[in-house]
Amino acid sequence: MAANKKRLYIALYPSGGSTGGEKRYHWALLIGPKSEAGAAVPGVQYHVKNHPLGGWAYEEKRVADVRAGTTLLARVVVAKLADEPRLVALLRAQPVVNGDPGWRCRTWVGRALAAVAADGACVGAAQLDWGVVEAFARRYVARKAAAGRYAEGEDMSKPKPTYDLLRGKEIVP
């Protein structure tokens, strides 16, 4: 088996207006390489977006650097990939729900993680329990915010805080 397996991350972004509760963050998944050496580390973002006129829609897009982005707040490693094409097919197959006011991006991410866990073949080592992952990610970003990590004037193009739930340690402060 390859020792440099790609990683699956939970990524949190500001939600674009909501200041608290469940709607505080926009949730997405990122796939990127284990080794993050170099000026930029390309990867792919998978998420659902709520378009004002069209409702919720699935989106996947290449990102120039999975470590950074002007709106990225933090990443949390939740799995090592075993079969990337299988994982991507599983993400693409996740339902997108319109017409339910309680359904949103975090719902999609939580259900996607549950589907990955049920599949059992697309990832290896993993922490896919949505209750654990969501609570940890919220606390992690809150701690970083309280410590001034997202203070005005900070270079938002620099790598963002990243925690590896599999190893139980921060890999980017």
Side-chain angles (χ1 to χ4, degrees):
M1 286 204 162
N4 192 22
K5 293 180 182 176
K6 289 185 178 179
R7 301 299 192 250
L8 178 64
Y9 301 87
I10 297 294
L12 279 78
Y13 304 84
S15 67
S18 294
T19 57
E22 288 184 354
K23 296 180 181 180
R24 181 174 207 150
Y25 304 113
H26 174 71
W27 298 79
L29 297 170
L30 291 171
I31 292 178
K34 174 185 178 181
S35 175
E36 294 188 338
V41 180
V44 182
Q45 178 191 57
Y46 302 86
H47 66 138
V48 293
K49 287 178 69 170
N50 193 4
H51 299 280
L53 300 177
W56 290 101
Y58 171 78
E59 180 180 277
E60 61 184 69
K61 66 178 183 176
R62 297 214 171 275
V63 292
D65 194 341
V66 293
R67 303 170 301 178
T70 56
T71 60
L72 177 64
L73 295 171
R75 300 177 302 157
V76 177
V77 176
V78 296
K80 294 180 182 182
L81 274 58
D83 186 339
E84 184 176 2
R86 184 180 182 108
L87 173 64
V88 171
L90 190 145
L91 296 177
R92 288 175 178 160
Q94 291 309 297
V96 175
V97 177
N98 282 291
D100 176 353
W103 194 90
R104 53 189 146 278
C105 57
R106 68 178 277 287
T107 311
W108 182 86
V109 169
R111 290 180 180 173
L113 289 186
V116 170
D119 174 78
C122 54
V123 299
Q127 170 52 270
L128 300 172
D129 181 313
W130 178 240
V132 171
V133 171
E134 180 186 22
F136 179 84
R138 286 181 184 279
R139 285 191 313 271
Y140 185 62
V141 171
R143 281 195 314 265
K144 292 298 178 181
R149 181 63 167 86
Y150 311 113
E152 197 172 321
E154 180 186 336
D155 184 350
M156 293 305 286
S157 65
K158 290 182 180 174
K160 299 305 185 296
T162 304
Y163 192 91
D164 187 332
L165 272 179
L166 308 179
R167 296 188 295 161
K169 70 183 232 179
E170 189 169 56
I171 52 179
V172 177

